[in-house]
Amino acid sequence: MSLPAPASLAPRPGPAGRSITDLTVSIPTNSAPVPPSTTRPLWRTREFAFYYVVFALVVPLMVYVPVRLSSPTHPNYALYAHRLSPGWLGRQVDNSDPQYRSFRSNLCPLLGLAALYLVPAQLVRHLYPFPLAPASAAAEPSHVHAAASVPPAQPHAPPASPAHPRAVRARVRFLAGAALALLVVLHGVGALKILAILALNYALALAPKGAGRWARAWPAAVIVGNMALLFVNERTDGWRLGSLHAALRTPDVLGGLLPRWHVSFNITMLRIVSFALDVHWQTPAPSDPPTDHRGRTTTSAPVVPSFALYLAYTLYPPLYIAGPIMTYNDFAHQLARPPALAPRARAAYAARVAASLLAMEATLHAMWVVAIKDAGAWDALGPADMCLVGFWNLVVVWLKLLIPWRFFRLWALLDGVDPPENMVRCVANNYSTLGFWRSWHRSYNLWLLRYIYIPLGGGRNVVLSTVLVFTFVALWHDLSFRLLAWGWLVSLFVLPELAARRAVPAHTFGARRWFRHAAAVGGVANIAMMMAANLVGFVVGLDGVARLGAALVGSPGGAAFLVIALACLFVAVQVMREYRAEERRRGIDRKC
């Protein structure tokens, strides 16, 4: 599922040569150079030789079980056969997930749209050239909390002028024009509704706020107000004019390719908030513009805000539909001083996208787990079968999000913009609850840290900040009890790890022989809780998890499988921890 990371996007400090750690994508926003660790590698010890045997036996079984269940000869086949589609790998394909089906069926049009955009974009660059900045991956000391730091509010501080204003103006005009054209094609009449919302937020963002209570309350007001707008959008089905009067139904028909514009407006709402708060927190820009991600995020934009720039940012075509999410400061800095992105690095990233796409196709052809889950075809399935169907559903969720995010990020890279990577690690390579949420939808995590978690107090008020952040995340995704339950479960499951880190800190006890094994036990508990929470939120819901729990503890066979599964997870966590230790030996600390 992974290929070596593009070298110029993420230079590797530490020992030279290839390493197993190259399998993890590495970019400036997730890689912080640290002094290489001197711990002794465990890869060739007898303990790890035993772990390799466990992997050799268990991983093929984890693949075999769902493949066996995904067969026309299985007794449950008739329950979900109608959800399958003709495939191209000699088997039927489970194309029943609506979110991924939409991306899969529109992949060719998206490729055409990207090409249609990139040709004139390159022409504008050719007509209005300016020197590139140093590569954005140049050994930057990025840290997730430092990247999220919030400066004091100093509205309307004078920004520094870009080094090549004529080229910047041409680029802004092109981006704004392309964004408006894309908006009309996608949403038709809905484009006018989006523009009205954007114009109102733009006017409010630039309105004087003084230095009193209103200035202090503005960050909360802009977030709460735009969240309320999301709920109204949903309740009114995108402000359908026909609901006001029958004579207004005709414009609703002119809805473009994606008439339900409000479904993807959640992403745009995050950019609206970022612009409003980055402008509100604006400080005088330094004479030497930053070239690293942390500096670009925390340093005020070097260009004067304009409505054209605002449209270019909030509606930036490569990232408009699904992200990744860039802050306004970062986008404006890259617009004024484009980062150097080597063609070889972009080609390597394109290979990652292709490899991920092929991995998803192989999975959906070999395992029909989404159809089994959606049809509720649990009859005659044992505890192991149910657990592995749930596990592979989580893998499919990871892939169906990773592929569009990386596709759109690749489009932006080809356009000379370097947005954050959204998925840092494989979903099966996580044992820390905190680390998991730092690597999953990472650009969103960075947005939450900068605009919600840190302003709420961050580590000084960790419990309340965490609960409010995950409540926001659940409501931002969907106003439903299932996702609220997911958000509160995640908040609850973060607390044991936080308590354990304070009670048994690694810097005090990490050298003890028992610490690694105790941490692995904690990692097993984290994995069990994270799987339960995500099964509730994104796969089978509360009822499905209750059914799975009953199957595990309600019979001797289920209990025996649970013990074996937890032992296998213990082995997996030991390998995951050693993988991260190997990263630290190479001077890499991804914080996840």
Side-chain angles (χ1 to χ4, degrees):
M1 292 185 186
S2 299
L3 294 174
S8 65
L9 287 179
R12 303 259 180 201
R18 309 305 294 176
S19 165
I20 189 174
T21 61
D22 292 334
L23 292 172
T24 300
V25 64
S26 184
I27 58 173
T29 52
N30 69 24
S31 184
V34 294
S37 169
T38 58
T39 57
R40 181 176 65 92
L42 300 176
W43 297 116
R44 298 185 181 182
T45 61
R46 291 182 180 179
E47 176 188 349
F48 270 69
F50 170 73
Y51 295 161
Y52 302 149
V53 173
V54 174
F55 265 73
L57 295 174
V58 173
V59 173
L61 280 175
M62 293 175 66
V63 175
Y64 168 75
V65 169
V67 171
R68 175 178 58 81
L69 299 176
S70 307
S71 169
T73 61
H74 193 274
N76 289 350
Y77 176 75
L79 299 176
Y80 60 82
H82 63 284
R83 297 177 178 271
L84 305 179
S85 305
W88 58 278
L89 294 178
R91 277 173 60 91
Q92 291 175 290
V93 61
D94 184 357
N95 197 29
S96 58
D97 182 274
Q99 191 174 12
Y100 185 70
R101 181 172 64 243
S102 175
F103 175 82
R104 187 175 186 263
S105 60
N106 289 291
L107 181 58
C108 288
L110 283 171
L111 288 169
L113 181 64
L116 189 64
Y117 167 87
L118 288 171
V119 170
Q122 293 303 313
L123 180 61
V124 171
R125 287 183 177 278
H126 177 74
L127 294 175
Y128 299 93
F130 48 86
L132 292 176
S136 64
E140 57 177 20
S142 171
H143 186 286
V144 66
H145 286 285
S149 59
V150 175
Q154 293 188 25
H156 311 300
S161 299
H164 305 275
R166 187 165 174 264
V168 172
R169 284 196 300 269
R171 174 82 166 146
V172 167
R173 289 168 184 165
F174 168 76
L175 290 179
L180 290 174
L182 177 67
L183 203 65
V184 172
V185 170
L186 290 180
H187 305 308
V189 174
L192 297 176
K193 304 171 188 177
I194 295 174
L195 289 174
I197 295 172
L198 292 177
L200 175 61
N201 273 280
Y202 178 78
L204 292 174
L206 295 187
K209 300 171 186 67
R213 293 181 179 178
W214 175 232
R216 292 192 297 271
W218 172 243
V222 71
I223 292 173
V224 173
N226 278 281
M227 281 296 292
L229 181 62
L230 292 184
F231 298 149
V232 174
N233 289 347
E234 186 67 28
R235 294 294 291 272
T236 60
D237 196 23
W239 303 84
R240 294 186 69 84
L241 301 176
S243 62
L244 301 176
H245 195 278
L248 299 175
R249 289 177 182 171
T250 301
D252 286 333
V253 178
L254 306 175
L257 299 177
L258 300 174
R260 302 186 71 234
W261 60 270
H262 57 286
V263 173
S264 59
F265 189 75
N266 292 32
I267 298 288
T268 306
M269 171 264 187
L270 299 179
R271 300 190 190 103
I272 290 172
V273 171
S274 177
F275 176 85
L277 297 190
D278 281 359
V279 169
H280 181 61
W281 292 328
Q282 191 169 312
T283 58
S287 56
D288 185 17
T291 58
D292 61 287
H293 176 266
R294 180 183 63 177
R296 293 193 305 261
T297 299
T298 57
T299 305
S300 294
V303 291
V304 177
S306 67
F307 193 64
L309 175 59
Y310 178 65
L311 292 179
Y313 166 63
T314 55
L315 305 175
Y316 178 55
L319 307 182
Y320 170 71
I321 296 176
I325 303 153
M326 296 181 69
T327 65
Y328 167 70
N329 281 346
D330 188 11
F331 181 83
H333 274 291
Q334 294 198 40
L335 199 64
R337 190 183 173 108
L341 302 170
R344 182 178 178 183
R346 289 185 278 196
Y349 194 80
R352 278 187 177 270
V353 176
S356 302
L357 187 61
L358 291 175
M360 182 63 146
E361 287 297 306
T363 301
L364 295 180
H365 279 79
M367 306 175 189
W368 303 331
V369 291
V370 178
I372 293 172
K373 177 261 297 182
D374 289 341
W378 305 110
D379 296 342
L381 267 61
D385 299 335
M386 296 176 67
C387 284
L388 288 171
V389 167
F391 169 78
W392 282 101
N393 265 282
L394 291 176
V395 172
V396 169
V397 168
W398 172 68
L399 280 170
K400 78 171 185 178
L401 297 175
L402 175 141
I403 292 169
W405 283 336
R406 287 195 173 173
F407 173 85
F408 291 120
R409 181 172 187 262
L410 174 63
W411 182 354
L413 289 172
L414 295 175
D415 191 37
V417 174
D418 186 8
E421 171 66 44
N422 259 349
M423 292 291 199
V424 179
R425 296 195 187 274
C426 174
V427 67
N429 184 17
N430 288 278
Y431 64 89
S432 163
T433 308
L434 295 172
F436 175 79
W437 293 115
R438 288 173 182 164
S439 67
W440 180 283
H441 203 171
R442 187 174 181 83
S443 68
Y444 185 38
N445 175 62
L446 294 172
W447 186 97
L448 291 167
L449 284 168
R450 176 166 173 78
Y451 301 113
I452 297 183
Y453 184 77
I454 299 297
L456 285 173
R460 300 191 308 273
N461 197 13
V462 65
V463 175
L464 179 62
S465 299
T466 300
V467 171
L468 290 178
V469 162
F470 279 105
T471 299
F472 173 88
V473 171
L475 295 175
W476 179 82
H477 278 92
D478 186 19
L479 183 59
S480 67
F481 175 74
R482 187 173 82 170
L483 279 178
L484 272 177
W486 165 84
W488 294 333
L489 279 174
V490 169
S491 302
L492 179 65
F493 293 162
V494 166
L495 299 181
E497 181 174 351
L498 291 173
R501 289 188 175 201
R502 290 190 176 185
V504 191
H507 64 270
T508 302
F509 299 97
R512 308 284 180 89
R513 294 186 61 181
W514 54 265
F515 180 84
R516 175 167 61 89
H517 304 293
V521 171
V524 171
N526 280 339
I527 291 174
M529 290 187 290
M530 286 190 291
M531 288 188 67
N534 287 301
L535 286 171
V536 168
F538 299 102
V539 182
V540 296
L542 285 167
D543 293 340
V545 171
R547 184 187 303 111
L548 178 59
L552 288 174
V553 300
S555 67
F561 169 77
L562 180 60
V563 171
I564 294 172
L566 293 177
C568 292
L569 286 177
F570 178 85
V571 170
V573 173
Q574 291 282 17
V575 175
M576 293 181 213
R577 288 180 56 81
E578 182 61 16
Y579 186 94
R580 285 155 179 78
E582 183 67 25
E583 290 176 339
R584 289 191 292 274
R585 293 184 199 108
R586 296 177 62 81
I588 300 170
D589 185 3
R590 294 190 172 96
K591 309 299 179 184
C592 60

